[in-house]
Amino acid sequence: MEEEEGSTPELRERKKSSFPESEQTALQTLQEKTVDIPTVRRSSKYALFQRIAKLFLGCLAAITSGMMYALYLSTYHERRFWFSSRQELEREITFQGDSAIYYSFYKEMLKAPSFERGVYELTHNNKTVSLKTMNAVQQMTLYPELIASVLYQATGSEEVIEPVYFYIGIVFGLQGIYVTALFVTSWVMSGTWLAGMLTVAWFIINRVDTTRIEYSIPLRENWALPYFACQVAALTGYLKNNINTSVERFCYLLVSASTYTFMMMWEYSHYLLFLQAICLFLLDSFSLMQADKVHEVYKIYLLSLFLGYLLQFENPALLVSPLLSLVASLLLAKCLQLNMKKGTRIARMVKVMYFYLIFILTVMLNVVMKMFVPHKENGHMLKFLEAKFGLNMTKNFTMNWLLCQESLQAPSQDFFLRLTQSSLLPFYILVLIICLFSVIQVIFRRINGKPLKEILTLEDGRIGERPEIVYHVIHTILLGSLAMVLEGMKYLWTPYVCMLAAFGVCSPELWMTLFKWLRLKAIHPIFLALILSMAVPTIIGFSLWKEFFPRIMTELSELQEFYDPDTVELMTWIKRQAPVAAVFAGSPQLMGVIKLCTGWMVTNLPLYNDEDLLKRNENIYQIYSKRSAEDIYKILTSYKANYLIVEDAICNEVGTMRGCRVKDLLDIANGHVVCEEGDSFTYSKYGRFCHEIKINYSPYVNYFTRVYWNRSYFVYKINTVISFQS
C-alpha cells in the first residue's frame, strides 16, 4: 500500500510537469500560424491578382492584334483596288480565276427565293458548265458561301452593307482570328504574351509568304486555315502536362469543334490532319505523353470524318483518305498492342515491329477502301507526284502545265532571302536545333526505359520533355519538308515558323536547355536565361519596328489602282449583246470571270480537283495550238459552245520560262515539237489557230465569225454549218 501510495504522487507529478510543456508548444505553434496566415493570404491574393492581370493583358493583346490585322487587310485592299469608288462590275473583276467562281455562287445564293431553293440549285447545278450537272456544294466545298449568305440575310445586313463588303469582311475577320490563334499558341508554349506579339509582327512582315489573302480572297484556304490555327492552339493546351481539368475539357471541346469545321471548309483538310495524326502517333509511340489523350484526339478525327461524310453528301474522298486509314490502324493496333514500355531489348524490337505494323495496316486499309468505294478523288494528284519526282516522264498537257505552276515548284532563293532579312529564318533554325536535340535526348531516355519527370522546373533545362513542344517540332519539320518541294506549301509552314521562332526566343526554358549543354558557370544560368528571354525579343521587336513599320505605313498611304478596261468592255458587251442561252469558250481563268460578272454558261472552269474539268480545259486550250479549224470547231461544238474568246496575252505569250508557255505545252502534247541535236523545233502543217483565225480567210471564216474585239480579246461566233470546207 505504501508503494502504491508513493507511486501515485510520482505519476501525478509527471503529468503536471508534462502538461505545461505541451501547452506551451501548442501556444507557440498557434502564434506562428496566426502570424503566417495574413502573410500567406496576402501573397496568395497578390499571386492571384498577378495571374488575372497577366491573363487579361494577354487576352487584350491577342484580340487587339487580330482586330488590327483585319483592319490592316481591309485598308490595304481598299487602297490597292479603290474598291469603294468602283462600280459593281469593276469590283467583281478583281476576283480572278477560281476566286470568281466561289463568289459567283455566293451571289446566286443571295438571288435565290429561299435558302432551301438556293441549296437545291447548287446541288443540282446545270447552269454553270455546259452539258454537265454537278453537285457544286460537294465538288467545290461551298459551305463558306452558304454560311455567308445565311448570315447576310439573317442579320438583316441588306440595308446596311453591300454583299461584297459583307463577304470580304467575313474573310478578313477570319484572318484576324488566324493571327489571334497563332498569338495564343505561342503564348501558351512560352508562358509570355511577348511571344505572341513577336509572332504577329513576323507574320505581318512576311505576309507575302504566310498568306495569299492579298491576291485571292475567296480561296478555300483563307476560310479554312483560321480554324486549323484554332485547332492547333487548343491542341497545344490539351497536350500540356498538369493542366486544370476544366481547362483540359475546354481545350478538348475546342479541338473537336475546330477540327470538324476545318474539315468542312477545305477539300484538302484531311491531308493536313493526316500529317497531324502522324505527329501524335510518334508522340505516343515514344511514350512522350499520355496515351489516353492521343486516343481521344483519334476519336475526334473519326467523328469529324463520319459527320463530314454525311454532311458532304457522302463524299467518297473522306472514306479513301489516308487519315481514316491511319487512325483506324492505330486504334486497331492498340487492341493488339503488347506491353512495350518496359525498356527491355524485346520491347525495343517490338517497338520497331509496331511501326512496321502500323505502316502495313494503313496501306492495306487504304487499298481495301479504294477497292470497295467508288471514287475519282485526286487521281491526277498521283500522276502529278510521279512526274514531279521524275518517276514518270509525260507529254500530257495537264501534268506539264501543273509542273510549270509556280506554287508547285521548289521555293526560290528569294523566299529564303525574305525570311532571313526579317531575321525570322536564323532564329527559327536556332530554336529548331535546340528543341530537336532536346527531343532526341528525351527519346533515347525513353528507349532506355527512363521515366519522364512529372513536373519540370526551369532549372531542369529539358524543354524536349514537354509534349506540346515535341508535337510542334515534328509538325514544323513535316510541313517544312513539303514546303521545300512545293512552294505553295509555304503558306502552311511559314505561319508556324513565325510561331515557333517567337516562342523559342521568349522561352527561358529554351535558353536554360542550351546553357545546360554548355555547362555555363561564370553567370548563374537561370538568371541569364530570364534576361535573354526578355532582352532578345525586345531587341528583335525594336529592329523590326525600325526597319519594317515605315514600309507598312507607306503601303497603306499609297493609292494603287487595278485598271483593266478591256475586260470591263468585254463583260459589258456580253451582257448587252450575247443571248441569255449563249455558251462561251476560252481560257478557264477568263471563264470564271465571265460566270461571275455575266452569269452566262461556260464550257470550262478554273478548277483542278475534277478530271472531267481538267480534260475540258486541255481541249479548250487547243485554240492556242497548231491544229486545223475543223478540229477546233469539232471540239467547241462538242461542248455546245456558241462563242469563242481568244486572248492576245496567251496567244502572244512571252514567258520567262521557255517550255512553260501554254502554246509550248500544247505543241509538246500534240507532237508538234521535233528535237534535233539538242535543239527543239515546232512543226505542223497548220499554223497556230489563234493567229490564223485573226486573218479572216478560208476555212476559218466558214466556221467562225468575229463579232467583237479590243486590244486584249477577240470574240468569235461559232457558225452553224452543214459541211466542212478545206
Side-chain angles (χ1 to χ4, degrees):
M1 292 292 293
E2 288 179 1
E3 290 178 2
E4 290 177 4
E5 288 176 1
S7 64
T8 305
E10 189 177 349
L11 183 62
R12 288 176 182 171
E13 189 177 287
R14 284 177 186 170
K15 286 182 179 179
K16 285 178 183 179
S17 62
S18 63
F19 179 75
E21 214 175 287
S22 62
E23 190 179 68
Q24 188 176 0
T25 306
L27 186 61
Q28 289 177 355
T29 306
L30 184 63
Q31 288 175 349
E32 288 175 3
K33 287 183 177 180
T34 307
V35 173
D36 290 344
I37 285 173
T39 307
V40 171
R41 285 179 178 173
R42 281 197 299 270
S43 61
S44 62
K45 285 182 179 179
Y46 176 74
L48 180 62
F49 174 77
Q50 193 176 21
R51 289 178 62 184
I52 293 175
K54 183 180 178 181
L55 181 64
F56 174 76
L57 291 175
C59 291
L60 183 63
I63 295 171
T64 303
S65 298
M67 293 177 64
M68 292 298 292
Y69 179 61
L71 182 62
Y72 162 76
L73 288 177
S74 178
T75 305
Y76 180 77
H77 183 263
E78 172 63 29
R79 289 284 181 174
R80 185 182 178 191
F81 295 110
W82 286 18
F83 213 66
S84 60
S85 60
R86 292 189 176 276
Q87 298 179 355
E88 184 180 4
L89 179 60
E90 294 175 318
R91 292 175 184 172
E92 291 177 349
I93 288 175
T94 62
F95 295 102
Q96 297 290 316
D98 51 352
S99 297
I101 293 298
Y102 296 128
Y103 185 74
S104 70
F105 287 119
Y106 168 70
K107 281 181 60 180
E108 288 187 16
M109 282 298 300
L110 295 181
K111 292 177 181 177
S114 66
F115 177 76
E116 293 79 7
R117 183 63 187 174
V119 172
Y120 178 82
E121 290 179 355
L122 292 185
T123 54
H124 301 78
N125 186 279
N126 58 1
K127 297 179 180 179
T128 299
V129 181
S130 61
L131 302 179
K132 186 177 179 67
T133 300
M134 60 182 177
N135 185 342
V137 177
Q138 179 190 15
Q139 188 164 341
M140 302 180 194
T141 319
L142 296 180
Y143 294 95
E145 282 66 35
L146 298 182
I147 295 171
S149 62
V150 168
L151 290 176
Y152 183 73
Q153 293 174 334
T155 56
S157 302
E158 297 96 329
E159 301 176 358
V160 180
I161 188 172
E162 296 180 51
V164 64
Y165 280 107
F166 187 83
Y167 185 87
I168 64 176
I170 292 178
V171 182
F172 290 158
L174 285 173
Q175 297 306 301
I177 294 174
Y178 191 4
V179 165
T180 301
L182 292 173
F183 183 111
V184 171
T185 305
S186 187
W187 179 18
V188 169
M189 292 171 65
S190 64
T192 171
W193 51 267
L194 186 62
M197 297 292 290
L198 187 57
T199 300
V200 175
W202 265 328
F203 183 92
I204 296 176
I205 289 169
N206 296 282
R207 68 188 182 282
V208 175
D209 303 305
T210 56
T211 178
R212 289 196 286 182
I213 187 69
E214 294 180 11
Y215 309 103
S216 193
I217 293 174
L219 282 181
R220 301 301 85 180
E221 64 192 60
N222 293 333
W223 287 88
L225 290 181
Y227 295 104
F228 182 67
C230 291
Q231 192 252 23
V232 171
L235 184 63
T236 303
Y238 183 68
L239 295 179
K240 286 176 69 73
N241 291 325
N242 306 312
I243 62 171
N244 189 290
T245 306
S246 58
V247 174
E248 181 178 328
R249 188 177 296 113
F250 172 76
C251 290
Y252 176 80
L253 293 174
L254 186 56
V255 169
S256 304
S258 53
T259 300
Y260 171 68
T261 309
F262 174 57
M263 193 171 291
M264 295 295 292
M265 293 291 171
W266 196 21
E267 65 266 31
Y268 300 119
S269 58
H270 53 88
Y271 293 111
L272 197 52
L273 294 174
F274 171 68
L275 295 180
Q276 190 180 77
I278 292 176
C279 300
L280 296 175
F281 161 62
L282 294 175
L283 275 171
D284 184 38
S285 299
F286 293 111
S287 304
L288 299 178
M289 64 168 297
Q290 300 175 23
D292 293 340
K293 285 188 175 182
V294 177
H295 296 136
E296 288 299 321
V297 179
Y298 292 160
K299 293 175 185 176
I300 292 174
Y301 291 150
L302 287 179
L303 180 62
S304 299
L305 285 167
F306 175 71
L307 293 176
Y309 173 74
L310 293 180
L311 294 179
Q312 290 184 13
F313 306 93
E314 299 182 358
N315 186 2
L318 298 181
L319 294 182
V320 298
S321 69
L323 175 64
L324 179 60
S325 302
L326 176 61
V327 173
S329 301
L330 290 169
L331 294 177
L332 181 61
K334 179 191 173 185
C335 302
L336 306 173
Q337 188 177 8
L338 301 173
N339 186 10
M340 301 182 300
K341 311 203 176 189
K342 292 188 176 180
T344 61
R345 184 175 297 177
I346 297 176
R348 295 173 202 167
M349 294 177 61
V350 173
K351 183 76 71 175
V352 176
M353 294 298 295
Y354 179 67
F355 281 94
Y356 181 73
L357 174 66
I358 293 299
F359 176 76
I360 294 298
L361 279 175
T362 302
V363 173
M364 287 180 60
L365 281 175
N366 196 253
V367 170
V368 170
M369 293 298 291
K370 287 182 177 179
M371 287 175 59
F372 289 98
V373 177
H375 72 288
K376 296 181 181 178
E377 180 64 18
N378 299 325
H380 61 284
M381 286 182 62
L382 295 177
K383 297 177 183 177
F384 166 76
L385 292 175
E386 290 177 359
K388 176 70 178 178
F389 296 108
L391 301 176
N392 182 21
M393 301 301 292
T394 179
K395 292 184 177 180
N396 181 270
F397 169 81
T398 301
M399 291 301 106
N400 289 327
W401 184 83
L402 290 173
L403 288 171
C404 285
Q405 297 305 299
E406 184 179 352
S407 61
L408 297 177
Q409 296 179 1
S412 62
Q413 292 182 353
D414 293 338
F415 167 60
F416 299 103
L417 183 61
R418 287 191 298 268
L419 297 188
T420 304
Q421 287 175 340
S422 64
S423 72
L424 174 60
L425 190 59
F427 283 107
Y428 167 73
I429 293 174
L430 173 66
V431 172
L432 182 62
I433 289 174
I434 296 173
C435 291
L436 183 59
F437 276 102
S438 182
V439 169
I440 292 172
Q441 282 183 334
V442 173
I443 290 174
F444 275 109
R445 275 198 218 105
R446 296 299 296 141
I447 291 175
N448 293 325
K450 295 180 181 178
L452 295 175
K453 194 170 181 181
E454 291 186 6
I455 301 177
L456 290 172
T457 61
L458 179 59
E459 205 170 352
D460 295 325
R462 295 183 186 176
I463 198 168
E465 287 194 13
R466 292 172 53 185
E468 71 274 18
I469 304 300
V470 181
Y471 162 75
H472 280 286
V473 168
I474 300 173
H475 191 209
T476 189
I477 289 174
L478 291 178
L479 290 178
S481 302
L482 293 175
M484 295 304 103
V485 179
L486 304 172
E487 186 171 2
M489 295 298 293
K490 70 181 181 181
Y491 299 109
L492 301 176
W493 178 57
T494 314
Y496 294 97
V497 170
C498 300
M499 183 272 298
L500 193 69
F503 139 75
V505 298
C506 296
S507 173
E509 289 181 74
L510 182 125
W511 297 110
M512 191 64 195
T513 302
L514 178 62
F515 297 153
K516 277 280 187 179
W517 294 340
L518 299 177
R519 296 181 180 179
L520 189 66
K521 294 181 180 179
I523 305 175
H524 199 287
I526 296 180
F527 176 74
L528 186 58
L530 291 171
I531 293 296
L532 286 178
S533 65
M534 297 179 64
V536 172
T538 303
I539 294 171
I540 294 172
F542 275 117
S543 64
L544 294 178
W545 177 277
K546 183 178 179 181
E547 183 175 356
F548 292 98
F549 182 74
R551 299 185 191 179
I552 293 175
M553 297 309 296
T554 302
E555 288 177 353
L556 294 179
S557 60
E558 286 181 350
L559 286 174
Q560 305 178 38
E561 186 174 6
F562 181 80
Y563 187 66
D564 192 1
D566 293 342
T567 305
V568 173
E569 291 173 7
L570 174 64
M571 299 303 146
T572 304
W573 180 86
I574 292 174
K575 294 173 75 173
R576 291 178 179 175
Q577 302 294 331
V580 177
V583 178
F584 285 84
S587 70
Q589 289 75 19
L590 181 61
M591 294 302 100
V593 178
I594 287 177
K595 175 59 183 173
L596 168 60
C597 297
T598 67
W600 266 245
M601 193 177 293
V602 295
T603 57
N604 51 323
L605 291 174
L607 298 172
Y608 311 106
N609 59 354
D610 181 83
E611 291 188 4
D612 177 58
L613 289 175
L614 286 173
K615 188 63 179 176
R616 283 173 175 254
N617 290 340
E618 181 179 353
N619 289 338
I620 299 300
Y621 264 133
Q622 296 297 326
I623 62 178
Y624 301 105
S625 68
K626 294 185 173 184
R627 295 183 64 173
S628 67
E630 182 179 345
D631 289 343
I632 302 300
Y633 180 83
K634 287 181 178 179
I635 291 173
L636 296 174
T637 53
S638 68
Y639 294 119
K640 302 297 181 184
N642 304 116
Y643 290 89
L644 167 66
I645 302 178
V646 176
E647 295 176 63
D648 204 47
I650 300 177
C651 189
N652 300 317
E653 182 180 5
V654 182
T656 54
M657 291 179 59
R658 184 168 179 81
C660 275
R661 298 177 300 181
V662 168
K663 52 188 179 183
D664 296 335
L665 298 175
L666 289 167
D667 291 342
I668 294 172
N670 295 334
H672 295 156
V673 174
V674 179
C675 296
E676 294 180 1
E677 299 179 358
D679 295 327
S680 60
F681 305 93
T682 58
Y683 170 77
S684 174
K685 66 178 182 178
Y686 301 106
R688 198 167 298 281
F689 177 83
C690 62
H691 288 153
E692 300 296 323
I693 195 175
K694 296 176 185 176
I695 303 177
N696 286 333
Y697 68 89
S698 181
Y700 297 92
V701 293
N702 298 323
Y703 303 116
F704 309 98
T705 302
R706 188 167 63 187
V707 292
Y708 174 80
W709 71 94
N710 59 29
R711 291 176 300 176
S712 302
Y713 304 103
F714 294 81
V715 182
Y716 296 88
K717 189 177 187 304
I718 301 172
N719 299 332
T720 304
V721 294
I722 299 175
S723 61
F724 297 104
Q725 303 176 24
S726 59

